[in-house]
Every structure is written in structure tokens, then in C-alpha cells.
């Protein structure tokens, strides 16, 4: 499918205020731009106000809606629209409910005629269940429980604590009673709290301290993942959109302690399919492009900058699936490594304390199965030494001390649990002091002041979602800042236990089982198996999982399986899943179910499958591959048809298309196209024998709403009742609290109906 938003938002952002009569412009007007042989539909939605009009822009093909627009003037039936930000002008003749005109930007003209239309929501709006139907589903959960869904999933009263570079403030997100989350700052000495940034319609997706006086934060529109970078001073002043480019996806990729006026961002402003790096002034929004991917060049997957903001290396995708690392030598980028897909070689950080400017810490698995951290001379293309490795798990985490000339403080890796390995004498003392404070609890330093006299510490575990502490090194004082979700008492929470088992073809598979807190030996409880998303390179970890805890509180066990293609277990395990999604990777999930059944923990007749994204696909695939195994399933933003999924990937994924084909399947190869058809659940809905609940965000740019519509419509045609929840202000997963609560309440009603019923019946049809 042609990605219309990629052109629309780099061409058009308009705000309409007009002298046209209100009744004539009220409602929606639609038109198509033809660009490079492709048509792009734009829908403008006008609302009369006392002073004129407000309007928004929709791009239906992307499921994107609600872009705020600017100003327009009508004189002698000629509509003139200007946008200084986009350097554009539109002129058209308004008559009889239509506008016929020409759009001009930077010397290029496009015909654009607008006609009165009816605004459409993404997808088939006749399919979603009504509010009343979903409330009826929710009401099926009738148990009397100590903790409510809100206790597990409402936004914490405060969270995401970050220490300012000088230690004067702590910034955090704080929840309103109505569920919105705002940015607050608190003075560490006086404890004076100040509202810094109030959330409006769109969520604040994240923030960080750029300097001691200024915070940057990210927002998108309705979950479309086209993030903008905003900045606000600690005084609340100078609050502005620093990247006002709608339809452009912006990410911060480097902070510059040596140049506090700037950060490095990447965005697909000039090419919707390629992110390019820019130096962004955090006060004025001025951007300077640092590298251009020329037409015909291999797409760039990553950029590496040193601490002064110099671009030192780039990683490009070549031949569709392999990567090459180019390092700047004598002013020119030269290839250092050509890496086969599945192998890895990447720069973690440059070794600033070395006299050799070409020294870097790299993460590599080229010499073995597991990734390790090496000290490497990039100019000589030669390993100096291995600085850290593990025989069983991949290693990638390294922390350096800027104050102590970038000395290594510790290494970090994820095994059955997360492991911290102190290195420097200074950090060994810090770690020992915190170990004395927190004992066997899992703890991490997650922030520090520039002078490294104060550390932010996060304590968590399988029964503790998170506790934030401030450790003052000079005072040798550990002070509690905040406990997330303090209403959840650890003694009531369930344990997450690591497990391992052999797959049917002999692979060693790792995972976790969470049994209800009051579980007694010999019980056989209902099971919810929860395959993770991704799927490649992602894995489930030990720790507090609010879903598993909610399920446990209702008497259900939860199984997490790190099936082949999951990350962290070496490249051979990763590669074993290539071309096996929905096949051997699904076998691993099934083998995990059989393992916990054989342990005597669960009732084999009461197994549900639930997951999001790839996990949602696994739900649908499981219910068509081995329908007898499951009592019911919940598909959350999951792929249903591999063919249509491949056709609707967002433009910024385009450079990874061949990699996507490598991990999944290539529709251009007949044998693989046959497999895609075989394992696409939407093409085999007649095999679904048990109840299914489908959940989707309407603006999802990764898994288009058509993926959910297909499966629902096909089942409904067979007379099957399928509860279908769609949220029109969400994307790939629900970010808003009210939507998240609706999801879990309905899900628990669905599970109560189909896992607590002693007389499970197959779906009719």
C-alpha cells in the first residue's frame, strides 16, 4: 500500500481561519494529490468557531488523523492558504462546496481539488463491538478480589524519575485523577513541587534532561509514532515544538555534554524512507543536516557520534539483509566490517580515555556464538582484547564514568535475571553499599549527576514493580523517593520462576512460569501462555509483570517462552528462528505448554493464548495450527495475513524489507509465498474452533487495522461471535490509561467466561 502520510505531512500543515460562511465550510473536504505517479488522499475537517474556523488534516491510508492546521483567506472566491513552516502556498477557487486549485511548495506545483465529503474513521467501522457489548463482556468477571484491574494498570501517581545534571531537581511524570500524565519537577533540597508541562490531547511519550535548565520531551499524534521533540525550561518558559514537521518521525540519538546547546536527532524529513541525522538547537529549534543519504546509496540503519558530536561511523544495509560498518578514516568513510545478517558488530562507545582516537568498545559475536564486549582499533580493523563475555548469554551492557575519564564502571547482561558486574574500584564500593542496603533485591543505578556524587537507584523484582531511591555518595545516605503502585503489597504478589526445557527438535528453550501466589502442589490451574512481540531479538525477562500478576490474582498461571529467534541466547539460537515464524517458533511455544502441563501445574483443558503484535499473530496462528490446544485466545494488535502485512509496513521500515523477508518469508519466492499462505490465520479461519477476542488501535502504523478487520469479518461471516475492541485514539498498543483499563477489564471477563467454565464448548460454525 502506498504510504500517503509520508508525502502529506512533509508537504502540508495548514491551519484554517477564514471569512467563508460557516455553513459552507462546516464538515470535511477531501482531495487527492498526485505525486510521482501515486495518489495521496487528504481530508480537511472544518469546525466553525466564534472567530472563524479550526480544522484538522487526516491521511486515511495511514490511519492518521487530527493534525492541527493553520490559516486561510478568501477574497473574491479565491482561497489562499500559506504555511511559512513548509514554505508553501495553495490557491483555489471556492464555489458550490468545492475548492479547485494548485498547491505550490519550493517551486513544485501539484493540482489539488477539494470536495465535500463525509469523514471516515480507519477500518470497517461496522465491525467493532459496541460499548454495551464490551461492558457485558467485562461483567462476566464476578469474583471478589483484593486488587482491582485499576490497581495493576492505572498509571502510577508518579513515575519515570530523572535526576537533573546538577542534582538540584528531580523530574517525573505525575498522574492526574482523570488519568492524564504531566511532567513535574521537584527541588531536592526544599521538596517544592512544580507542574512543568501539562498533557493535553496527546500523550507525552518520554522526556529527559538535556541540560540542568531544560527538558526535552516527545509526543506524537494519536499513536501514529511520528514523534516530535519539544523543549521546555525548568521555569516553564520557552515551551516549543523544536521539530514542527508533521508526518516526520524524529528520535534523539545522541546527547552532547560537550555542547549543551545541541543534541543529535535523526528524522525522515527529506526522505520518508530514510532517517538522516541533524544537529538540533534545543532552544531555537534550528537544525543542521549532518549527513545525506544520496539517491541510490545503501540505506543507513545507524549513526555513531563521539562525545563532541562528530559523526565517526555509519552502519548501512547492503544487499537488503547484510550490514556494513563504515568508519571515517582520513576524512572519508571506509568499510571496516561487512556483517552477515544474524551476526553482529557494532560500536557501543568510543574509548575516550585512550591516546588512540580510533579505539572503541564494540559489541561483537563474529568470533563465537555469544556477543561479547571488545576493545577494538577501528582504523586498523583489529581487536585489541575481549573485555567482557559470558559463555551462556549475550553481553552488551557497559557503563563508563565521564568524571573519571571514561573509566569502565560495570558490565551488564541478562541471563535468567539481570546481572551487574562491577569493574572500577569506585563502582565496586557503590555497588557494595547498595547491596548492604537492599540485600537480595534487584537494584540498578539508573541516573547520576554530572559530578557523580548522587545516583538515582531503581529497586525491583518479580514482586516489586519499582522503588526509586536517591543515593548521596558524600553523605553515604540512601533516601526513598517513591514506590510505584504502593497499593500492591509484595507479600500478595506471585513469584516468577525461570524454567528451561528441550524443544521437540532438541533446542534448549528458556522461559518463565508465574503461578498464583496461593498455589498448592498438586493443583492444576488454568494457564495463559503469552508469546512475546518482535519477534526477533526480543525476549521475556524476569521481573515484575503486571499482566502476569493480574492473571495470578484471578487464579491463572502465566507462561512466557523465549522461543527460537528470541534475543540474548546467542546467534545460532536467533538464526534458528529465521524462516520459522509460525512454524518451529510456534512449536517451541506449544512445547512449553506441554512442559508445564507435564509438571502437573496446569489444566490441559483450560489453556488460553494471549499476545500483542507478533504475540497477537502467535495467538491467531496457534488457534489455526493446533486449535485443540486452546480454550480461547486474545489477539492484541496482531498480524493476521502475512501478505497484507508485508504490503502495509510503514515507510521508515522500507529499508528493512529484505530483513523482514529473511526473518519471516519472502512473498516473491513461490515456495515462501506458499508458506505465507499456509500460516496466515486470516486464510484459515475455518480452523478456529474456540472463542477469540480481538483488540486493535485504529491508527496503528505497524499492524494496519485491516489485519484485525480481516479476521473479525471472516469469523463473523461464519456466524461466530467475536468481541472486537477498537480504540480510535491509539496506535500499536494502548498508551492511554482509560483505554488500557477497558482492555484488561474486558479481557478478564473473556477469560472468566472461557477458563472458569467447566463445560468448555467449541465455537459453532
Amino acid at each position: 500500500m502506498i504510504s500517503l502520510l509520508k508525502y502529506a505531512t512533509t508537504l502540508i500543515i495548514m491551519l484554517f481561519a477564514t471569512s467563508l460562511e460557516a455553513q459552507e465550510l462546516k464538515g470535511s473536504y477531501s482531495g487527492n494529490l498526485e505525486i510521482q505517479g501515486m495518489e495521496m488522499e487528504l481530508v480537511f475537517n472544518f469546525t466553525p468557531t466564534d472567530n472563524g474556523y479550526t480544522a484538522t488534516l487526516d491521511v486515511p491510508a495511514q490511519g492518521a488523523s487530527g493534525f492541527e492546521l493553520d490559516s486561510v483567506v478568501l477574497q473574491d472566491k479565491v482561497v489562499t492558504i500559506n504555511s511559512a513552516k513548509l514554505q508553501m502556498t495553495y490557491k483555489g477557487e471556492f464555489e458550490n462546496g468545492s475548492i479547485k486549485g494548485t498547491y505550490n511548495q519550493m517551486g513544485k506545483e501539484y493540482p489539488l481539488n477539494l470536495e465535500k465529503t463525509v469523514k471516515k474513521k480507519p477500518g470497517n467501522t461496522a465491525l467493532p463491538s459496541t460499548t454495551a457489548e464490551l461492558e457485558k463482556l467485562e461483567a462476566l468477571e464476578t469474583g471478589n478480589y483484593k486488587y482491582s484491574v485499576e490497581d495493576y494498570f492505572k498509571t502510577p501517581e508518579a513515575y519515570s524519575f530523572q535526576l537533573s545534571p546538577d542534582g538540584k531537581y528531580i523530574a517525573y511524570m505525575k498522574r492526574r485523577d482523570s488519568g492524564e500524565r504531566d511532567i513535574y519537577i521537584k527541588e531536592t533540597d526544599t521538596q517544592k513541587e512544580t507542574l512543568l508541562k501539562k498533557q493535553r490531547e496527546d500523550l507525552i511519550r518520554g522526556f529527559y534532561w538535556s541540560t540542568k535548565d531544560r527538558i526535552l520531551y516527545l509526543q506524537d499524534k494519536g499513536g501514529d509514532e511520528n514523534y516530535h521533540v519539544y523543549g521546555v525550561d525548568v521555569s516553564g518558559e520557552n515551551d516549543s515544538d523544536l521539530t514542527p514537521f508533521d508526518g516526520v518521525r524524529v528520535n534523539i540519538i545522541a546527547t552532547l555534554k560537550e555542547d549543551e546547546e545541541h543534541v543529535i536527532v535523526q528524522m525522515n524529513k527529506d526522505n520518508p524512507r530514510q532517517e538522516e541525522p541533524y544537529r538540533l538547537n534545543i532552544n531555537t529549534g534550528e537544525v543542521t543536516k549532518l549527513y545525506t543519504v544520496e539517491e541510490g546509496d545503501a540505506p543507513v540503519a545507524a549513526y555513531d557520534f563521539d562525545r563532541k558530536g562528530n559523526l565517526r561511523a555509519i552502519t548501512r544495509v547492503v544487499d537488503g539483509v547484510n550490514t556494513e560498518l563504515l568508519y571515517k578514516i582520513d576524512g572519508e568513510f571506509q568499510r571496516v566490517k561487512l556483517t552477515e545478517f544474524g551476526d553482529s558488530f557494532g560500536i557501543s562507545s568510543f574509548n575516550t580515555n585512550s591516546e588512540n582516537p580510533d579505539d572503541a568498545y564494540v559489541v561483537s559475536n563474529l568470533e563465537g556464538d555469544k556477543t561479547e564486549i571488545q576493545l577494538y582499533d577501528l582504523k586498523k580493523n583489529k581487536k585489541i582484547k575481549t573485555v567482557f563475555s559470558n559463555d551462556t548469554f549475550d553481553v552488551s551492557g557497559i557503563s563508563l564514568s565521564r568524571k573519571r575519564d571514561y573509566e569502565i564502571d560495570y558490565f551488564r547482561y541478562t541471563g535468567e535475571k539481570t546481572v551487574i558486574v562491577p569493574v572500577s574500584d569506585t563502582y565496586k564500593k557503590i555497588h557494595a553499599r547498595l547491596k548492604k542496603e537492599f540485600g537480595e533485591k534487584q537494584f540498578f543505578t539508573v541516573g547520576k549527576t554530572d559530578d557523580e556524587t548522587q545516583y538515582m537507584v531503581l529497586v525491583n523484582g518479580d514482586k516489586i514493580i519499582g522503588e526509586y531511591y536517591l543515593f548521596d555518595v558524600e553523605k553515604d545516605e540512601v533516601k526513598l523517593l517513591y514506590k510505584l503502585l504502593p497499593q500492591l503489597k509484595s507479600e500478595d504478589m506471585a513469584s516468577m520462576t525461570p524454567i528451561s526445557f528441550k524443544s521437540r527438535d532438541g533446542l534448549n528453550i528458556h522461559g518463565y512460569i508465574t503461578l498464583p501466589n496461593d498455589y498448592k502442589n498438586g493443583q492444576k490451574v488454568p494457564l495463559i501462555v503469552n508469546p512475546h512481540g518482535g519477534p526477533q531479538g526480543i525476549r521475556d525477562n524476569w521481573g515484575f509483570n503486571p499482566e502476569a500478576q493480574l492473571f495470578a490474582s484471578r487464579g491463572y498461571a502465566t507462561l512466557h517462552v523465549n522461543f527460537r529467534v528470541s534475543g540474548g541466547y546467542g546467534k545460532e539460537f536467533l538464526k534458528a528462528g529465521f524462516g520459522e515464524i509460525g512454524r518451529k517458533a510456534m512449536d517451541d511455544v506449544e512445547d512449553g505448554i506441554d512442559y508445564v502441563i507435564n509438571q502437573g501445574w496446569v489444566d490441559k483443558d483450560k489453556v488460553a493464548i494471549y499476545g500483542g503484535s507478533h504475540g497477537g499473530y502467535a495467538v491467531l496462528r496457534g488457534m489455526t495450527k493446533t486449535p485443540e490446544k486452546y480454550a480461547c485466545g486474545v489477539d492484541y494488535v496482531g498480524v493476521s495475513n502475512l501478505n497484507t502485512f508485508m504490503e502495509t509496513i510503514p515507510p521508515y521500515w522500507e529499508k528493512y524489507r529484505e530483513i523482514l523477508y529473511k526473518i519471516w518469508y519472502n512473498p516473491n519466492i513461490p515456495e515462501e509465498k506458499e508458506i505465507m499462505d499456509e500460516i496466515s490465520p486470516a486464510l484459515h479461519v475455518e480452523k478456529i474452533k474456540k472463542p477469540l477476542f480481538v483488540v486493535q488501535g485504529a491508527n496503528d502504523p505497524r499492524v494496519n487495522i485491516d489485519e484485525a478487520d480481516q479476521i473479525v469479518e471472516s469469523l463473523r461471516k461464519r456466524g461466530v461471535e467475536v468481541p472486537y475492541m477498537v480504540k480510535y485514539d491509539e496506535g500499536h498498543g494502548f498508551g492511554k490509561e482509560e483505554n488500557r483499563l477497558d482492555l484488561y477489564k474486558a479481557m478478564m471477563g473473556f477469560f472468566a467466561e472461557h477458563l472458569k467454565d467447566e463445560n468448555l464448548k467449541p465455537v459453532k460454525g
Side-chain angles (χ1 to χ4, degrees), residues 480-494:
L480 174 66
L481 294 174
Y482 198 83
K483 292 186 177 183
L484 302 181
L485 302 183
Q487 70 274 16
L488 299 178
K489 304 304 180 185
S490 60
E491 60 267 23
D492 296 328
M493 298 298 106

Side-chain angles (χ1 to χ4, degrees), residues 106-285:
M106 293 184 288
K108 295 184 179 181
E109 293 188 348
Y110 306 90
L112 177 59
N113 300 330
L114 303 175
E115 300 288 341
K116 191 72 181 285
T117 187
V118 177
K119 181 179 178 180
K120 297 179 181 178
K121 292 181 178 178
N124 184 343
T125 56
L127 292 176
S129 301
T130 65
T131 300
E133 289 169 336
L134 293 171
E135 288 176 347
K136 184 178 179 181
L137 180 65
E138 175 186 328
L140 295 173
E141 174 61 274
T142 58
N144 184 20
Y145 301 106
K146 183 173 183 178
Y147 298 111
S148 66
V149 169
E150 284 85 352
D151 287 328
Y152 293 98
F153 288 101
K154 75 176 183 180
T155 305
E157 296 302 318
Y159 66 100
S160 191
F161 293 88
Q162 296 184 37
L163 189 61
S164 67
D166 60 0
K168 184 178 179 181
Y169 296 100
I170 295 169
Y172 47 94
M173 302 294 293
K174 187 175 181 181
R175 179 186 183 274
R176 287 183 237 159
D177 289 341
S178 51
E180 294 88 351
R181 319 86 173 284
D182 309 314
I183 301 177
Y184 277 76
I185 59 173
K186 180 182 286 187
E187 295 182 17
T188 52
D189 286 342
T190 67
Q191 297 297 295
K192 179 184 177 182
E193 182 182 67
T194 304
L195 171 62
L196 184 66
K197 178 62 187 179
K198 187 174 183 180
Q199 177 196 318
R200 303 197 183 278
E201 180 179 355
D202 293 303
L203 292 173
I204 297 171
R205 298 287 180 172
F207 74 92
Y208 93 100
W209 287 95
S210 57
T211 70
K212 63 183 178 62
D213 300 314
R214 190 157 172 80
I215 284 176
L216 302 185
Y217 61 96
L218 298 176
Q219 282 183 301
D220 64 354
K221 281 284 184 182
D224 67 3
E225 299 186 7
N226 289 317
Y227 304 110
H228 290 208
V229 177
Y230 296 77
V232 60
D233 293 345
V234 292
S235 64
E237 299 175 338
N238 196 16
D239 184 6
S240 59
D241 184 353
L242 299 172
T243 57
F245 314 112
D246 280 308
V248 175
R249 179 183 174 89
V250 186
N251 282 312
I252 299 169
I253 59 173
T255 58
L256 304 175
K257 284 292 186 181
E258 313 300 322
D259 178 9
E260 292 192 343
E261 287 285 310
H262 298 90
V263 295
I264 307 296
V265 301
Q266 65 178 24
M267 51 184 170
N268 57 344
K269 185 171 74 73
D270 294 342
N271 182 348
R273 299 187 178 195
Q274 175 63 66
E275 297 94 344
E276 295 171 311
Y278 296 77
R279 180 177 281 105
L280 170 68
N281 187 298
I282 65 170
N283 296 302
T284 67

Side-chain angles (χ1 to χ4, degrees), residues 471-738:
F471 174 41
D472 190 308
V473 178
E474 294 179 343
K475 295 179 180 179
D476 191 30
E477 179 181 82
V478 179
K479 183 191 302 183
L480 174 66
L481 294 174
Y482 198 83
K483 292 186 177 183
L484 302 181
L485 302 183
Q487 70 274 16
L488 299 178
K489 304 304 180 185
S490 60
E491 60 267 23
D492 296 328
M493 298 298 106
S495 297
M496 176 182 275
T497 303
I499 60 172
S500 63
F501 56 91
K502 289 288 185 181
S503 69
R504 65 192 68 179
D505 60 349
L507 286 184
N508 194 34
I509 308 294
H510 295 266
Y512 302 91
I513 185 72
T514 303
L515 295 167
N517 193 39
D518 59 357
Y519 177 83
K520 294 180 176 58
N521 287 336
Q523 277 186 291
K524 295 182 185 294
V525 297
L527 173 71
I528 300 170
V529 59
N530 182 203
H532 64 68
Q536 74 285 352
I538 308 298
R539 58 160 287 178
D540 284 313
N541 297 321
W542 183 87
F544 190 93
N545 185 304
E547 290 181 338
Q549 293 294 345
L550 172 63
F551 299 159
S553 74
R554 270 52 176 173
Y556 311 128
T558 302
L559 172 65
H560 295 100
V561 177
N562 284 326
F563 44 85
R564 67 192 72 198
V565 93
S566 298
Y569 299 98
K571 63 183 176 184
E572 293 307 317
F573 189 81
L574 177 75
K575 291 180 178 181
F578 293 171
E580 295 293 348
I581 308 303
R583 301 196 295 167
K584 289 185 178 180
M586 198 69 216
D587 291 347
D588 294 342
V589 175
E590 296 163 3
D591 293 346
I593 295 171
D594 291 342
Y595 173 79
V596 296
I597 289 173
N598 292 335
Q599 297 303 305
W601 298 327
V602 303
D603 184 340
K604 66 180 179 60
D605 295 322
K606 292 185 178 181
V607 177
I609 183 167
Y610 153 65
S613 195
H614 162 266
Y617 164 75
V619 170
L620 300 175
R621 174 58 178 151
M623 295 184 74
T624 52
K625 179 175 182 286
T626 52
E628 72 285 350
K629 216 169 191 70
Y630 305 104
C632 61
V634 179
D635 160 30
Y636 181 28
V637 297
V639 175
S640 71
N641 186 330
L642 298 190
N643 298 286
T644 52
F645 169 64
M646 295 294 185
E647 294 170 359
T648 57
I649 63 173
Y652 47 84
W653 279 13
E654 194 60 43
K655 60 179 171 288
Y656 302 120
R657 181 176 287 277
E658 293 297 326
I659 293 176
L660 197 64
Y661 289 166
K662 178 83 170 179
I663 297 166
W664 292 70
Y665 305 94
N666 188 338
N668 302 310
I669 298 174
E671 295 84 354
E672 295 192 20
K673 174 65 167 64
E674 187 176 336
I675 295 172
M676 289 172 64
D677 292 342
E678 176 191 340
I679 66 171
S680 289
L683 305 182
H684 303 282
V685 292
E686 73 283 354
K687 295 180 180 179
I688 295 179
K689 303 298 183 184
K690 301 292 174 62
L692 176 67
F693 177 27
V694 178
V695 183
Q696 182 68 38
N699 303 319
D700 192 335
R702 306 188 203 181
V703 179
N704 190 280
I705 191 174
D706 182 55
E707 294 298 311
D709 280 358
Q710 286 181 71
I711 203 79
V712 172
E713 191 166 16
S714 296
L715 286 171
R716 295 255 178 92
K717 285 179 179 177
R718 295 176 53 231
V720 177
E721 272 191 43
V722 183
Y724 184 25
M725 177 183 286
V726 175
K727 296 296 184 181
Y728 288 95
D729 55 350
E730 296 282 11
H732 196 61
F734 293 176
K736 294 186 176 179
E737 179 183 288
E738 62 270 24

